[in-house]
Amino acid sequence: MAEFLLELFSEEIPARMQRAAAETMARMLNTDLARLQARLEGEYTPRRIAVHGDVAARVAAETTTERGPRLTAPDAALAGFLRKHAAARDDLVAEDGYWWLRRTAAEIDAGGFIAGVMPGVLRRFPWPKAMRWGAGSQFTWVRPLRRILCLLDGAVVDFDLRAGTDDGHGLVSGNLTEGHRFLSPGAFAVRSVAEWRAGLRARHVVIDPIERRRMIWDGVTRRATAQGLQVVADEALLDEVTSLVEWPVPMLGRIDAAFMDLPPEVMQVSMRENQRYFALRHEDGAAAPWFAFVANIAANDGGAAIVAGNERVLRARFADARHFWDRDREMRLEDRVAALDEVIFHARLGTQHARAARLQEWASVIGRALGLRPPALAEARQAAFLCKADLTSGMVGEFPELQGVMGGYYARHDGLAPIVCEAIGQHYQPRGAQDAVPAAGVPAVVALADKFDQICAFFRIGEKPSGSGDPYALRRAALGIIRIVRERAHWLSLRAVLAEMAADDVADAVLDFVIERLRVQLRAEGHRHDVIEAALAGYASDDMRLLALKVEALSAFLASDAGGDLLAAFRRGVNILRIEEKRDGHTFDVPIAANALPDRTERAFA
C-alpha cells in the first residue's frame, strides 16, 4: 500500500461547514478511488480540508464485459450502443444471440489514476454555499482556494485543476502548504503525512480537530478551576470554537460588576451568540463575573491586550442587553398579550393571541385530568395565557432562544405568584433530549398544554410529519409530552384530554402519533420490539406512564427465572399483577409474587 495525502488550503472556511466537508471529501475519494482499495479519512482546520490514508500502489488490469443488443436488433439500436460506449463495430463479438463488448484495461500506476480523478472531484464537490473569484472563472469553492498539496508516497501527484479548460485559476498540485497565518506565515514543503503533521505543529497549526477540541476544553477548564470556578458546558459552542482556531490559546476575562444583575441566561446567550465566549459559574451555580474565550495566537504580552479588547467588546454587548432588559420591564407582561395579535403563529392557524386563549382551555382540561385543585388550576390558566407574551419583548426579539425564559423573569418583576413565573419560564421544556422537564404540577400542565396544542393544531390543517421531514418539530413535542408524564409520575388519559379539545379524527391521529413516539422511546431504552407490542397492543390503556410501566414490568418478568415461555399480556388486579399463560391449550392466570417485579411496578398495577 502507498501513503496518500491531499490538503486543500484556502481562505477561512465557515466553522459550520468544515467537519462535513472533510467527511464528504473522504467519502468521495474512497468511492472514486475504490479500484485502489482506498482507506482514507479527513481532518480540518479553518483554512484547510485534508484527506489521508492508504491506497494500492497500482490499479490492477481489468476486463469488462457489456452485453449489447440482440443480433437481430435494428441497426439504430446497435449504433446507439456503440456511441454510448465510444466503441467501433470491430470491437464487438457475437455470442449467444447478442452482441458483446469486451475491453481490457491495462494496469495503471496509482499516481496517474489519482491525477485523472482529482479535477472532477474538486469541481463537483458539494459545498452548501460556494463562490467564484477572479475574472471570468467558473470554478467554485467555499472560499478562494490557494494551494493543492497532493502526495503519493512522498511524490507529487501532478494534476492541473483546469483539466482541459481555461478555468481553475491556474491551480496545480504540489508539495507545499502553509502554517499559521500570523505566527508562522509562509510556505514549506512536505514529503509524508508524518512530516506534514509535524511541520504544521511546529508552525502553530494543530491539524487534528479532536486534539484541538481537547486542548480548548482542558485549557478553559484549567483556567476556570484556578479561579475556583466551573465552565458552563456547551457542546455546540465547543465544536464551533474548535473550527475557529488553528492554534488555541484559552484565556479568561472579567465581567464588569455593573452587569452582574442581568439574568444569567441573558449573559450566557449574549456571550455565546455574539462573541463565542464560555460562561463561568460558582460551585453553587450562580453566575461568576468571569468569561472564558479562545484566542488564535500566542501574544508576546501574555494576552493582556487581547483580554482587554474582549472585555471592552463584552461591555458594549452587555450594555445593549441592559437596554432591552430595562425597557422590557417598563410594560407589564399581561399588557403585552394584546400585542400578540400582531404575531402570527401560522398563516392557517391565526395569531399567538388566539393561541394564548386556546392554551388557557388546554391548561384547564389537562389540569383537571391531573387533579389540580381550583387555586392551582387558576394559576395554570394564568400562566398559559401569559406564556407567549414575551414574544413581543425587545430581548426575545434580539435573542429568540430566550423566549419563555424572559417571560418568567418579567412575571417575577410584575409580582406574579412564584409558581406562575416558574410555569411561564419552563413551558418550552424539554427543548431536547438533554434538557430537563418542567416541575410537576402547574409548570408541567402549562408545558403539556403548549405541546398538545402544537401537535393538534398542525394535525388539524394536515401538516403532519412525513419521513424525515418534521418542519414544526411535532415529534419533539410528542417526546416532550411523554417525558413530562413519565418523569414527573403523572397519570394522564390521552383519550380523555383529546376528546375535550380535538375533533374525533384529529384526536385519533394524535393518539396514534404520540403512542408511536412512545414506542420509539422504549426501543431506544433497550426494550424488545415484541415486548413493546405485547404491552401496547390495542392501547388497552392510553396512559403513557402505565404503558411504559407495563413494558418495563414485562421485560423484567421475562428476564427473571419465572419468565419461562409466558405470553405477556398485563391486566390490573388487586394487590397483584397477573399474566395470562397459554399452555397445553389452556389459558389461565399466573399470580406473580410481590418480589418478582420491582416494587414501583407492583404498586403501579395494584
Side-chain angles (χ1 to χ4, degrees):
M1 301 296 282
E3 182 185 73
F4 174 73
L5 170 62
L6 171 72
E7 184 199 72
L8 303 162
F9 181 83
S10 68
E11 300 297 331
E12 278 77 1
I13 304 167
R16 68 184 183 279
M17 299 183 188
Q18 295 169 25
R19 178 178 177 179
E23 293 173 348
T24 300
M25 182 62 74
R27 183 172 62 253
M28 290 177 67
L29 287 176
N30 280 325
T31 299
D32 285 21
L33 303 181
R35 292 180 64 188
L36 291 174
Q37 305 169 40
R39 295 192 298 272
L40 308 175
E41 58 183 20
E43 292 183 302
Y44 57 89
T45 76
R47 294 209 296 164
R48 68 201 81 222
I49 300 298
V51 174
H52 54 79
D54 293 330
V55 298
R58 303 188 67 80
V59 178
E62 183 179 54
T63 299
T64 59
T65 301
E66 289 284 345
R67 192 182 74 176
R70 290 181 179 274
L71 297 177
T72 56
D75 290 343
L78 182 59
F81 176 75
L82 294 173
R83 188 166 52 250
K84 175 183 176 182
H85 295 280
R89 183 71 174 261
D90 294 340
D91 297 328
L92 301 179
V93 175
E95 188 176 302
D96 298 330
Y98 288 90
W99 291 107
W100 293 85
L101 174 63
R102 291 189 177 92
R103 286 175 166 171
T104 300
E107 186 178 68
I108 308 173
D109 177 78
F113 183 75
I114 295 171
V117 166
M118 286 308 307
V121 170
L122 298 184
R123 288 187 172 279
R124 71 174 193 273
F125 190 81
W127 289 104
K129 290 184 177 181
M131 63 178 291
R132 298 187 182 96
W133 65 98
S137 173
Q138 296 302 307
F139 176 75
T140 62
W141 202 248
V142 63
R143 292 292 185 270
L145 187 60
R146 299 304 188 196
R147 294 184 184 277
I148 303 174
L149 182 152
C150 193
L151 300 177
L152 183 67
D153 269 352
V156 174
V157 177
D158 290 312
F159 66 89
D160 187 331
L161 188 55
R162 289 174 297 185
T165 73
D166 294 328
D167 196 8
H169 306 281
L171 282 168
V172 296
S173 58
N175 64 346
L176 299 179
T177 186
E178 297 186 25
H180 193 283
R181 182 188 293 273
F182 304 111
L183 299 178
S184 301
F188 67 98
V190 298
R191 292 171 295 180
S192 67
V193 172
E195 187 175 311
W196 167 73
R197 195 180 296 277
L200 288 176
R201 169 76 72 160
R203 291 166 177 81
H204 302 92
V205 175
V206 180
I207 184 63
D208 184 355
I210 297 176
E211 183 182 1
R212 285 202 312 280
R213 194 179 196 274
R214 184 173 58 250
M215 289 171 64
I216 291 169
W217 182 251
D218 290 348
V220 167
T221 302
R222 184 170 56 254
R223 289 179 174 270
T225 303
Q227 299 294 332
L229 305 174
Q230 299 174 343
V231 184
V232 177
D234 193 329
E235 295 295 318
L237 177 59
L238 182 57
D239 288 338
E240 183 174 8
V241 173
T242 299
S243 296
L244 292 175
V245 296
E246 291 191 320
W247 189 253
V249 181
M251 297 181 180
L252 293 189
R254 293 295 300 264
I255 298 174
D256 195 315
F259 299 112
M260 289 308 297
D261 62 335
L262 288 172
E265 294 90 347
V266 171
M267 293 193 293
Q268 182 178 350
V269 170
S270 179
M271 288 189 290
R272 180 182 70 238
E273 297 301 318
N274 291 324
Q275 300 302 132
R276 308 307 188 259
Y277 296 161
F278 293 90
L280 304 183
R281 63 188 175 196
H282 296 290
E283 290 186 1
D284 62 1
W290 294 83
F291 65 94
F293 66 98
V294 180
N296 193 35
I297 61 172
N300 295 330
D301 63 354
I306 296 175
V307 170
N310 280 272
E311 289 176 344
R312 183 171 61 253
V313 171
L314 189 59
R315 282 195 294 272
R317 294 294 189 184
F318 280 174
D320 291 341
R322 175 169 292 288
H323 169 75
F324 293 124
W325 172 242
D326 291 341
R327 186 172 180 179
D328 287 344
R329 290 181 297 167
E330 294 174 0
M331 179 183 291
R332 292 182 60 81
L333 199 61
E334 61 183 349
D335 296 334
R336 293 185 175 277
V337 176
L340 290 176
D341 258 332
E342 305 299 321
V343 182
I344 301 298
F345 172 50
H346 186 276
R348 296 168 61 190
L349 294 173
T351 66
Q352 288 286 3
H353 188 274
R355 190 169 184 229
R358 289 201 308 272
L359 292 179
Q360 270 193 315
E361 298 308 310
W362 275 107
S364 294
V365 171
I366 296 171
R368 289 194 299 269
L370 294 182
L372 292 191
R373 297 185 179 276
L377 200 58
E379 291 171 332
R381 286 178 56 84
Q382 182 184 23
F385 187 65
L386 297 176
C387 67
K388 302 298 179 183
D390 67 352
L391 294 175
T392 66
S393 67
M395 188 71 80
V396 171
E398 182 72 10
F399 301 114
E401 55 268 64
L402 290 178
Q403 55 190 291
V405 173
M406 297 314 302
Y409 279 107
Y410 298 147
R412 291 185 185 89
H413 179 265
D414 294 344
L416 301 184
I419 194 65
V420 173
C421 304
E422 187 178 4
I424 293 173
Q426 297 180 4
H427 81 277
Y428 283 104
Q429 294 178 347
R431 287 181 169 87
Q434 306 304 318
D435 196 19
V437 300
V442 172
V445 167
V446 178
L448 288 170
D450 179 58
K451 291 165 179 58
F452 270 115
D453 179 73
Q454 180 183 353
I455 297 172
C456 289
F458 284 106
F459 269 55
R460 188 170 69 249
I461 62 173
E463 293 285 356
K464 303 176 183 179
S466 59
S468 60
D470 187 11
Y472 303 108
L474 303 187
R475 293 189 181 103
R476 184 173 64 187
L479 287 172
I481 292 172
I482 294 167
R483 283 191 58 197
I484 293 171
V485 170
R486 294 182 65 188
E487 295 181 31
R488 293 306 178 206
H490 287 307
W491 304 105
L492 181 66
S493 169
L494 294 180
R495 285 192 180 93
V497 169
L498 294 169
E500 291 196 49
M501 293 299 297
D504 290 344
D505 57 336
V506 172
D508 291 341
V510 171
L511 176 63
D512 292 341
F513 177 68
V514 175
I515 295 295
E516 180 57 32
R517 303 325 296 170
L518 176 62
R519 283 193 177 94
V520 171
Q521 187 181 68
L522 291 169
R523 284 199 293 269
E525 292 172 4
H527 295 287
R528 283 168 31 190
H529 174 77
D530 56 343
V531 170
I532 295 172
E533 292 307 312
L536 271 58
Y539 312 161
S541 168
D542 61 334
D543 186 313
M544 288 172 293
R545 182 184 175 202
L546 182 59
L547 291 172
L549 286 173
K550 284 184 176 184
V551 173
E552 293 172 5
L554 180 53
S555 295
F557 183 74
L558 293 179
S560 68
D561 293 338
D565 62 345
L566 295 180
L567 172 68
F570 287 93
R571 182 172 79 192
R572 297 186 66 177
V574 179
N575 296 323
I576 196 169
L577 177 67
R578 299 181 185 276
I579 296 181
E580 293 180 354
E581 179 191 25
K582 289 186 177 179
R583 184 177 296 168
D584 299 329
H586 300 285
T587 300
F588 52 94
D589 293 335
V590 178
I592 305 302
N595 61 0
L597 293 168
D599 290 342
R600 63 185 177 87
T601 306
E602 183 67 24
R603 286 197 301 272
F605 285 90

